[in-house]
Amino acid sequence: MNRFGLLLGAMLLAGASTMRAQMDASIKLNEVMTSNSTSLQDEYGQHKAWLEIENISHSTYNIRGMYITTDRSVLDRNMSVPERIKRMSIIPNGDERTNLSGRQHLVLFLNSKPHLGTLHLNVNVDATKPVWVALYNGNATQLIDSVTIPVMEADQSFARIANNGNAQDWEVKSADRVTPGISNVTTVSESKIEKFKREDPYGFGMALMAMGIVFFCLALLWITFTLFGMLMRHMDTAKKVAQHQPIKPITKTVEKTIEVGHKTGVILKEGLDTKGIDREVYMAVIGLALRQYEDDIHDVESGVITIKPKDTDWDDEYSQMTHLHEAFIPSSHNAPTIPTTPKLH
């Protein structure tokens, strides 16, 4: 049982060490300035050399307890850990800023004193010479990242080109392109996503763009369905017109016109070939053809009969009663004389 417990403990310790090493590898040196004259100031208004560290992962990691050094002698594998620690400067505890979230940056001031603050390290930097800077893990045994800084002019920085931490290419950045505390903006490897995040850190542009796309799609749908509805209404109207007004008579009219025109052309061609027939004969023939055309067109009816009403007053009761009264009542001069009885006195 004790052996099994020891084995299990060893496996857990090895797994934790492996996970710790992977997390340590997510911390990278990102930008360094060795000659600071007018660039970044510390909380005391001083211009000191500074170093930027980036967490390239998307997980939160606390870098307290890690070491920064510019002494190449620590690369000696035979050097003891206590001796190596003496030549390094530790990132102290007690500051929330050392707890780096995903893609976050932290600036540490060099050539300073730890009693000035958590972010002030006693790391010697000589701007007149190339400087080797290294980042070690909390055990002071594993080298996590390192870079050699060339001699640069004042306010220039040496920065990693790629922001993902995989590339080993660095470049000297002019004073107007120095970016302490944020992602390195380079002309070589800055992606569109990084540029969009830099120019729109709060996401207002993304929100407006998303709303614009949604409204554009809604407007496009409204236009599409409106045009489709208009087309369907016109098609329905055309069907109703075709049902009430057939186009067959129009087709017959066109056929008759073509036939008469063909006959007239044939007659004219034959007349030009003979050249001996009188012109009046052709005129008469053309006149007969036009007359036939008019008769044929007249015979083509649409099938719609129009009846126009005409009022004859045959059902007018007043008029009928008046005629009947006049027929049966004689006039005054033709009326018979009625004898009167004489009065007796």
Side-chain angles (χ1 to χ4, degrees), residues 10-301:
M11 292 176 62
L12 292 175
L13 183 61
S17 300
T18 304
M19 183 178 298
R20 179 77 179 182
Q22 292 178 353
M23 295 181 65
D24 290 342
S26 300
I27 306 302
K28 296 292 183 181
L29 301 175
N30 195 54
E31 190 171 4
V32 182
M33 178 178 288
T34 56
S35 178
N36 182 7
S37 60
T38 60
S39 182
L40 184 65
Q41 295 182 359
D42 62 8
E43 56 267 41
Y44 303 100
Q46 301 295 320
H47 295 87
K48 297 180 180 296
W50 52 265
L51 176 145
E52 181 186 65
I53 296 177
E54 179 186 10
N55 179 10
I56 65 172
S57 69
H58 295 280
S59 302
T60 301
Y61 188 76
N62 202 321
I63 64 173
R64 68 178 184 270
M66 288 187 171
Y67 293 91
I68 301 293
T69 183
T70 56
D71 192 342
R72 280 184 175 271
S73 63
V74 298
L75 295 174
D76 186 1
R77 295 182 179 272
N78 297 323
M79 183 179 292
S80 63
V81 173
E83 184 65 26
R84 186 179 290 114
I85 291 176
K86 291 180 181 179
R87 307 182 184 198
M88 296 179 177
S89 180
I90 190 172
I91 300 175
N93 299 327
D95 196 320
E96 185 62 27
R97 290 174 291 181
T98 62
N99 193 30
L100 298 182
S101 58
R103 315 299 294 183
Q104 189 177 357
H105 303 76
L106 179 67
V107 175
L108 302 173
F109 293 100
L110 310 179
N111 284 340
S112 187
K113 301 296 181 181
H115 70 269
L116 296 178
T118 306
L119 305 182
H120 291 259
L121 303 180
N122 186 19
V123 177
N124 296 322
V125 174
D126 187 357
T128 62
K129 300 178 181 179
V131 179
W132 176 78
V133 180
L135 173 66
Y136 274 78
N137 68 347
N139 297 326
T141 57
Q142 180 183 355
L143 177 62
I144 298 175
D145 196 13
S146 65
V147 64
T148 299
I149 313 299
V151 178
M152 298 178 294
E153 297 180 1
D155 297 328
Q156 287 185 339
S157 70
F158 198 57
R160 190 185 299 272
I161 292 178
N163 293 322
N164 56 12
N166 295 326
Q168 298 300 321
D169 294 334
W170 290 63
E171 68 168 353
V172 177
K173 298 174 64 175
S174 58
D176 58 337
R177 296 173 56 227
V178 173
T179 55
I182 60 175
S183 298
N184 296 339
V185 181
T186 64
T187 58
V188 178
S189 63
E190 185 183 19
S191 64
K192 293 182 179 180
I193 297 177
E194 292 293 337
K195 182 179 179 180
F196 191 84
K197 289 170 61 178
R198 175 172 58 83
E199 295 179 351
D200 184 31
Y202 300 104
F204 294 121
M206 178 65 72
L208 292 176
M209 183 184 299
M211 293 176 62
I213 293 174
V214 171
F215 283 116
F216 174 77
C217 293
L218 291 176
L220 186 62
L221 288 174
W222 179 81
I223 294 173
T224 302
F225 283 111
T226 300
L227 295 177
F228 182 75
M230 294 174 60
L231 178 62
M232 295 303 295
R233 286 195 297 269
H234 284 300
M235 290 180 64
D236 186 60
T237 304
K239 289 180 180 179
K240 291 181 179 180
V241 171
Q243 291 176 358
H244 290 82
Q245 298 180 2
I247 62 174
K248 186 176 180 181
I250 300 175
T251 304
K252 290 184 178 180
T253 302
V254 174
E255 292 177 353
K256 290 294 182 181
T257 304
I258 294 173
E259 182 181 354
V260 172
H262 178 68
K263 292 181 179 180
T264 304
V266 172
I267 293 173
L268 289 174
K269 183 178 179 181
E270 292 177 352
L272 291 175
D273 291 339
T274 57
K275 296 182 181 179
I277 303 177
D278 192 0
R279 184 180 299 176
E280 295 180 356
V281 176
Y282 289 104
M283 294 176 63
V285 172
I286 294 172
L288 290 174
L290 293 175
R291 180 63 180 178
Q292 182 182 358
Y293 167 74
E294 292 179 357
D295 294 340
D296 291 337
I297 296 302
H298 177 73
D299 291 338
V300 177
E301 300 293 343

